[in-house]
Amino acid sequence: MSLTGKFLSKEINTIFWRENLTLSTAESCTAGEISSIITSVPGSSHFFKGGIVAYANEVKENLLGVNPETLEKYGAVSEETVKEMVKGAMKSLKTDCAIATSGIAGPSGGTSEKPVGTIWIAVACKDKINTLKIEEDHGRAKNVANATQTALQLLLKMFQSEENEQ
């Protein structure tokens, strides 16, 4: 794990302890990497309930409640799908907040519309959802690492923006 990942997970740990919130994940292309980084910090069991690695669309549908019509119309790699995944993670795992990812890590699987390196991320806390799209291909391992780091940063940014609003 990178030093950045360790730093981000410590920051998340501090916030979730302080705010007494719970967290879950719904990961497709990151395949549990986000959960792994979060749980690498002692004390994460206080707030982290678990994660669902939803590689297949039927897992997205059956465990996360993603609408089959969403997958048909927009595809698994879309803002619409990660929004439904993040809501489904919060509902299925009964958490206050969640992170979801879905993308094409590579080296194959891309199309002209969605090339390798296209990854959608959603973070949610209660009724607030933020999304972000990554469109960079640096090889499978770096694509997954980049999506993982970006997802953790997006979650932290959600709390920093709330602090700035107060």
Side-chain angles (χ1 to χ4, degrees):
M1 174 187 5
S2 72
L3 287 174
T4 307
K6 191 84 163 168
F7 172 76
L8 292 171
S9 60
K10 284 182 179 179
E11 289 292 310
I12 289 167
N13 193 315
T14 299
I15 290 168
F16 276 77
W17 268 84
R18 181 183 70 220
E19 301 294 327
N20 198 31
L21 295 169
T22 54
L23 179 65
S24 60
T25 60
E27 300 181 66
S28 185
C29 63
T30 51
E33 286 292 319
I34 295 168
S35 298
S36 177
I37 286 181
I38 290 167
T39 59
S40 70
V41 176
S44 57
S45 61
H46 176 74
F47 66 89
F48 186 75
K49 295 259 185 129
I52 296 170
V53 176
Y55 236 55
N57 283 350
E58 58 263 26
V59 175
K60 290 175 181 73
E61 292 173 23
N62 297 332
L63 294 181
L64 296 171
V66 175
N67 189 326
E69 292 173 7
T70 301
L71 292 165
E72 178 74 29
K73 186 174 182 180
Y74 301 103
V77 181
S78 66
E79 182 176 30
E80 294 79 6
T81 295
V82 292
K83 281 182 172 181
E84 291 186 25
M85 287 173 66
V86 81
K87 289 177 190 174
M90 290 191 302
K91 184 177 179 181
S92 294
L93 297 167
K94 296 175 177 49
T95 59
D96 302 304
C97 306
I99 301 170
T101 60
S102 190
I104 306 160
S108 60
T111 65
S112 57
E113 281 185 7
K114 296 178 186 177
V116 170
T118 303
I119 298 170
W120 275 100
I121 300 166
V123 298
C125 270
K126 300 182 180 171
D127 294 331
K128 185 175 181 182
I129 299 175
N130 291 341
T131 60
L132 180 76
K133 182 181 183 184
I134 298 173
E135 295 179 286
E136 300 173 7
D137 181 20
H138 301 286
R140 184 177 186 83
K142 286 186 179 176
N143 291 345
V144 170
N146 184 35
T148 299
Q149 300 283 0
T150 302
L152 295 171
Q153 290 168 343
L154 191 61
L155 180 65
L156 283 174
K157 203 178 272 186
M158 180 176 272
F159 287 96
Q160 291 164 349
S161 66
E162 284 180 5
E163 288 172 2
N164 292 338
E165 289 172 8
Q166 295 176 359

